[in-house]
Amino acid sequence: MPTNLALDDRLIDEARRVGGHATKKDAVTAALEEYVARRKQLAILDLFGTVDFSKKYDASESRRRDKVTVDKR
């Protein structure tokens, strides 16, 4: 979708240079992708301390129990 933006020329030129982007569009797209990824990471950090867990849980035991035994006859 076409969008007109007033971008800081100095900043967009630097983003193109350090990111190795050929076009302004490539630089802006990469910046938006990084922004979204970072915000998702920050949202995950908000979950710390909110999930209950059992100190008795054994991930190794759970994996062993979940394996399917194959009969090799």
Side-chain angles (χ1 to χ4, degrees):
M1 127 181 87
T3 303
N4 291 325
L5 299 173
L7 300 173
D8 181 331
D9 288 331
R10 179 197 55 78
L11 190 57
I12 194 73
D13 288 340
E14 185 175 0
R16 286 182 57 206
R17 182 180 55 77
V18 299
H21 303 291
T23 65
K24 289 180 181 181
K25 179 182 177 182
D26 291 343
V28 170
T29 299
L32 288 171
E33 288 170 348
E34 289 180 27
Y35 177 85
V36 169
R38 178 69 175 144
R39 293 298 172 165
K40 286 180 178 181
Q41 291 171 349
L42 292 172
I44 289 171
L45 290 176
D46 290 338
L47 295 176
F48 280 101
T50 64
V51 177
D52 293 331
F53 69 96
S54 171
K55 291 182 181 182
K56 295 178 183 178
Y57 178 74
D58 182 353
S60 297
E61 175 60 30
S62 178
R63 284 191 296 274
R64 278 192 296 274
R65 191 174 49 241
D66 292 342
K67 285 186 179 177
V68 176
T69 305
V70 177
D71 187 6
K72 297 181 182 181
R73 291 183 189 186

